[in-house]
Amino acid sequence: MTTTYLWTPPAVPSLPVRGKSERAPVNRLFFVGRNYHAHAVEMGRPVDKSVESPFYFTKSPSTLVESGATVSYPAETKNYHHEMELVVVIGAAGFRVKRADAASLIYGYACGLDMTRRDLQLVARDKGRPWDLGKDVEQSSVVSEIVPMTGTVLESGALALSVNGQTCQSSDLDKLIWNIPELIEDLSKFYHLQPGDLIFTGTPEGVGPLQPGDHIEGSVAGVGTISLTVGPAD
């Protein structure tokens, strides 16, 4: 029997894949908080890995935007920030994955931007509230094409972001507090990871505010580039 709906269901979110005509359907968006020491200090929340575990937040897949887009300056904020990240693309199911087996879940990588209403995030953080209004923002999960690297663990590589040609973020993947196998091992304790899950691995220091008209360009060595233009507010 054919299912009918009261209104048209949203399209399946997906991303282009380098070298392939098929697109990759996207399932869930996981984000790792404070995974570079310098950024944790920048945010006033240093991390001690010896006594802490990774923490995560999620965004709706409807926030997904492809690299090269122009997005509206979001509503109800005066402090809209960029955060440049490496994105791990999960390509196989896994639950309670051992660290030594984490690579078997990796399909590939992409560049990502975690766009943030920083003022709303900090208000929520300081009041012990969820971060949704600051993080789960429309058009806030920007991702480049996916580069297939099945089973490959990236341990190093320059990561950078510029705004209007001025470098703002510059670091290396070897500065991740929790590396990619550690993240997959930990996250898979809480979720049955599935193909199409994306893990944004955290941003380095240098995050900062944007204005309408700003143009962002970012890169991760060995993965690719990403770009975004901030348009006027709706």
Side-chain angles (χ1 to χ4, degrees), residues 3-43:
T3 301
T4 58
Y5 299 95
L6 291 174
W7 46 81
T8 304
V12 175
S14 65
L15 290 167
V17 181
R18 185 178 298 175
K20 293 186 177 293
S21 59
E22 303 95 337
R23 291 176 65 90
V26 173
N27 189 29
R28 293 171 293 187
L29 307 180
F30 297 103
F31 294 75
V32 184
R34 295 197 295 267
N35 201 24
Y36 286 81
H37 281 295
H39 175 61
V41 171
E42 177 179 65
M43 296 301 292

Side-chain angles (χ1 to χ4, degrees), residues 115-210:
M115 308 302 291
T116 302
R117 287 189 281 220
R118 185 72 71 207
D119 43 2
L120 301 190
Q121 180 203 8
L122 294 181
V123 167
R125 185 193 73 179
D126 293 343
K127 292 187 176 184
R129 296 173 178 174
W131 291 5
D132 296 62
L133 290 179
K135 285 292 190 178
D136 194 16
V137 180
E138 293 171 343
Q139 300 182 312
S140 68
S141 305
V142 188
V143 184
S144 70
E145 68 173 357
I146 295 169
V147 181
M149 296 186 194
T150 304
T152 299
V153 174
L154 295 183
E155 298 178 347
S156 63
L159 179 152
L161 177 141
S162 65
V163 179
N164 303 326
Q166 181 71 38
T167 299
C168 297
Q169 294 185 265
S170 181
S171 190
D172 196 284
L173 300 178
D174 63 9
K175 292 183 172 60
L176 286 167
I177 297 172
W178 287 279
N179 63 32
I180 292 165
E182 289 172 328
L183 292 174
I184 291 173
E185 177 188 48
D186 186 73
L187 189 58
S188 70
K189 296 175 184 176
F190 304 97
Y191 296 94
H192 292 75
L193 296 179
Q194 299 293 327
D197 287 342
L198 305 184
I199 305 173
F200 288 66
T201 56
T203 196
E205 69 279 12
V207 301
L210 297 163

Side-chain angles (χ1 to χ4, degrees), residues 64-135:
L64 188 68
V65 174
E66 287 187 36
S67 173
T70 297
V71 302
S72 300
Y73 191 95
E76 300 301 322
T77 182
K78 296 180 179 179
N79 198 17
Y80 181 48
H81 275 211
H82 57 77
E83 296 190 10
M84 179 69 199
E85 312 199 10
L86 172 72
V87 179
V88 180
V89 181
I90 299 298
F95 181 56
R96 294 175 180 161
V97 178
K98 294 180 180 179
R99 192 176 309 175
D101 300 326
S104 66
L105 270 64
I106 297 172
Y107 174 76
Y109 295 92
C111 300
L113 297 170
D114 169 22
M115 308 302 291
T116 302
R117 287 189 281 220
R118 185 72 71 207
D119 43 2
L120 301 190
Q121 180 203 8
L122 294 181
V123 167
R125 185 193 73 179
D126 293 343
K127 292 187 176 184
R129 296 173 178 174
W131 291 5
D132 296 62
L133 290 179
K135 285 292 190 178

